[in-house]
Amino acid sequence: MTQIRIEATDLPGRTFGPGDDHPVHSGVHVGVQRRGRPGELLDLHPGDAPAAVWTLECTLKGRDITGPYVEGRPGGRFVYLSWGTLDERGAFAMFRRAKLMFDGIGADVLDAAVRSGLLVARLRLTDSRGGPLCAAVRPPLITWSARAD
């Protein structure tokens, strides 16, 4: 068994917008979406937290990564970070997602992760316009490494 640790910094804040294509979002939070279950999120972090860390169990077989939080088909796997608002009752309403794409992980890093048991992703969660990072995220926006924990 291997783990993926996502280490995120520079979160965009608890309020986002308005913009040309979206209203104001207040109570912004981010979490990891479980595969096939958009409403099931791991470890919600407020948008103004100094950092956010998630640890996911996964299986590495050759160059393929699978697990309960890993989406996509072989060769196109990724993890969703879901951005949404959390209301006073604790209900989460997603408004965008970031896809942490695995296709940018080097073979040497994957081999080292198999040996060490830990694959680490580091990224900033604020995009170039000051909002929550979204869309497909690949290097140089994310760095992947392997290390022993």
Side-chain angles (χ1 to χ4, degrees), residues 4 19 25 38 72 82 103 110:
I4 298 172
H25 297 286
S82 293
D103 58 5
L110 284 175

Side-chain angles (χ1 to χ4, degrees), residues 18-86:
D20 294 338
D21 60 346
H22 60 84
V24 172
H25 297 286
S26 298
V28 172
H29 284 68
V30 62
V32 175
Q33 177 184 308
R34 188 172 180 91
R35 180 182 61 243
R37 299 180 189 168
E40 191 174 322
L41 301 166
L42 176 67
D43 296 336
L44 280 177
H45 292 274
D48 61 353
V53 176
W54 297 274
T55 301
L56 316 174
E57 296 296 326
C58 67
T59 302
L60 262 161
K61 292 181 183 174
R63 305 269 184 259
D64 194 26
I65 305 170
T66 59
Y69 294 93
V70 176
E71 306 263 359
R73 296 176 189 255
R77 303 239 197 245
F78 61 92
V79 169
Y80 271 132
L81 293 184
S82 293
W83 292 97
T85 57
L86 199 60

